[in-house]
Amino acid sequence: MMISKIYFRILTFISLVIILDLVVGKTLNHYYFTQRAGEEFRATYIIEKSDAEVVIIGASRANHQYHPEIFENRLRMTCYNAGRDGSSMFYYYGILKAITSRYSPKLIILDFSRDFEMKQNSYDRLAMLAPYYEKHPEIRPVVELKSKYEKYKMLSSIYPFNSYIFAIAQRNTNFNIQNHTDTKGYTPLHRRWNRPINSDTSFLNYEIDTLKVAVYRNFIEECLASKINLVIASSPFYNNSDRVDPSTYMAKQIAKSYGISFIDFSKDSTFRRNPGYFADISHLNEDGAIVLSNRIIDSLLIKNLVWKH
């Protein structure tokens, strides 16, 4: 009799946990997808709604340095900036898979920067894609790269949103909308760098993540299979070293093997001579972003890399 009561209590407790998980998870799900500004809103837009002809993909250096309106005005094609701070090659590929499940853009520009570096947070930040796991089966294999237990954790309704509880609360307010403005995904930086040019090369000493290299190849192959014109670009650093970044070298060689154009502005003298174009040593401010966007477009047009289908 005593054992039966214990089992009953255990089952009751488990049932309450499951109900609580479902109720809280559904609530978080609702308010996550009703956000009206910020990074999560922009991710949802590019994954589920955007039909832009030109899509910019990358991390913070993509998000803050490629101005969609300049691309639209000069290329006469719609453009959206899907760059996201703190993301990695895994995230880029997940975004690409979501896009190509709906349509094929005419041009994708992938901003590449040391993206083969072995870093644990590249896996941890796959949480950025977790809210889309249930509705987007094409993203699931990418999310599951986070850990071998990830698909089991995703059985919880709360788990996909547990990194965003504060953001969900904050970004459903009018105040937040006013403080998270963007231009078609692009968020400019306005500060101006005023320190000497960086000469440090220690940041180039890192281990290569072979899984990221494989995903980079998958990214290229997905674009080719979807008949998307892919261009890979490396944007400027405020650094005067001529030492070659190992990721960039590998990425160029791989792109070349697929016949994909790789435009490298990482050591471009126009930017090295102008600290006023930078917000910090790794990111251009809005003035620099305008110059870079135009330089990228010049390269696309000169090399005849823009075509419509």
Side-chain angles (χ1 to χ4, degrees), residues 167-178:
I168 289 169
Q170 186 187 39
R171 291 177 184 167
N172 277 276
T173 65
N174 289 328
F175 172 80
N176 187 264
I177 291 174
Q178 295 167 3

Side-chain angles (χ1 to χ4, degrees), residues 175-190:
F175 172 80
N176 187 264
I177 291 174
Q178 295 167 3
N179 286 275
H180 287 83
T181 57
D182 64 88
T183 301
K184 298 180 180 180
Y186 163 68
T187 52
L189 300 175
H190 300 292

Side-chain angles (χ1 to χ4, degrees), residues 23 35 43 65 96-97 140 261 274:
V23 171
Q35 292 181 81
Q65 300 182 162
L96 178 67
K97 291 292 290 182
R140 290 175 193 168
S261 293
N274 289 282

Side-chain angles (χ1 to χ4, degrees), residues 82-309:
R84 185 165 182 178
D85 292 12
S87 59
S88 72
M89 184 57 63
F90 303 134
Y91 179 84
Y92 314 158
Y93 185 54
I95 291 296
L96 178 67
K97 291 292 290 182
I99 290 171
T100 56
S101 73
R102 296 190 299 107
Y103 81 109
S104 293
K106 291 173 181 174
L107 171 66
I108 284 180
I109 300 175
L110 172 65
D111 184 84
F112 186 94
S113 173
R114 300 204 302 270
D115 278 306
F116 295 157
E117 183 177 0
M118 175 72 78
K119 294 191 293 187
Q120 180 57 43
N121 66 9
S122 297
Y123 293 86
D124 297 340
R125 288 176 178 172
L126 278 169
M128 294 174 176
L129 293 173
Y132 309 96
Y133 185 88
E134 183 180 0
K135 291 198 296 181
H136 294 274
E138 71 278 4
I139 287 178
R140 290 175 193 168
V142 182
V143 175
E144 289 169 7
L145 293 174
K146 187 179 179 187
S147 79
K148 61 182 179 181
Y149 304 111
E150 207 63 17
K151 62 183 176 182
Y152 304 110
K153 294 177 182 180
M154 286 294 170
L155 295 172
S156 164
S157 296
I158 294 175
Y159 178 75
F161 305 96
N162 64 4
S163 299
Y164 298 104
I165 294 173
F166 178 74
I168 289 169
Q170 186 187 39
R171 291 177 184 167
N172 277 276
T173 65
N174 289 328
F175 172 80
N176 187 264
I177 291 174
Q178 295 167 3
N179 286 275
H180 287 83
T181 57
D182 64 88
T183 301
K184 298 180 180 180
Y186 163 68
T187 52
L189 300 175
H190 300 292
R191 60 186 181 270
R192 190 174 297 272
W193 188 252
N194 57 7
R195 299 182 188 177
I197 192 166
N198 184 38
S199 300
D200 181 34
T201 60
S202 62
F203 66 93
L204 297 175
N205 301 323
Y206 56 81
E207 181 182 355
I208 295 291
D209 187 333
T210 56
L211 183 55
K212 287 182 178 178
V213 177
V215 170
Y216 175 75
R217 289 183 178 274
N218 291 344
F219 190 104
I220 293 173
E221 290 168 2
E222 180 74 22
C223 288
L224 292 173
S226 299
K227 295 181 168 54
I228 297 169
N229 189 16
L230 171 65
V231 173
I232 303 168
S234 184
S235 47
F237 287 92
Y238 194 54
N239 187 295
N240 62 2
S241 170
D242 289 322
R243 184 177 167 190
V244 177
D245 169 55
S247 288
T248 302
Y249 176 80
M250 289 183 66
K252 280 183 180 179
Q253 297 306 307
I254 293 169
K256 183 178 180 180
S257 72
Y258 284 98
I260 299 297
S261 293
F262 194 111
I263 303 171
D264 190 358
F265 283 99
S266 60
K267 301 180 185 299
D268 189 88
S269 60
T270 298
F271 298 95
R272 280 184 172 184
R273 291 195 303 262
N274 289 282
Y277 285 157
F278 287 84
D280 55 48
I281 61 174
S282 299
H283 299 89
L284 299 171
N285 57 30
E286 186 168 27
D287 291 341
I290 291 170
V291 174
L292 177 66
S293 296
N294 278 295
R295 291 286 303 279
I296 293 283
I297 295 165
D298 290 342
S299 294
L300 295 177
L301 296 175
I302 290 169
K303 297 179 181 180
N304 197 29
L305 298 176
V306 181
W307 48 268
K308 298 187 177 184
H309 54 75

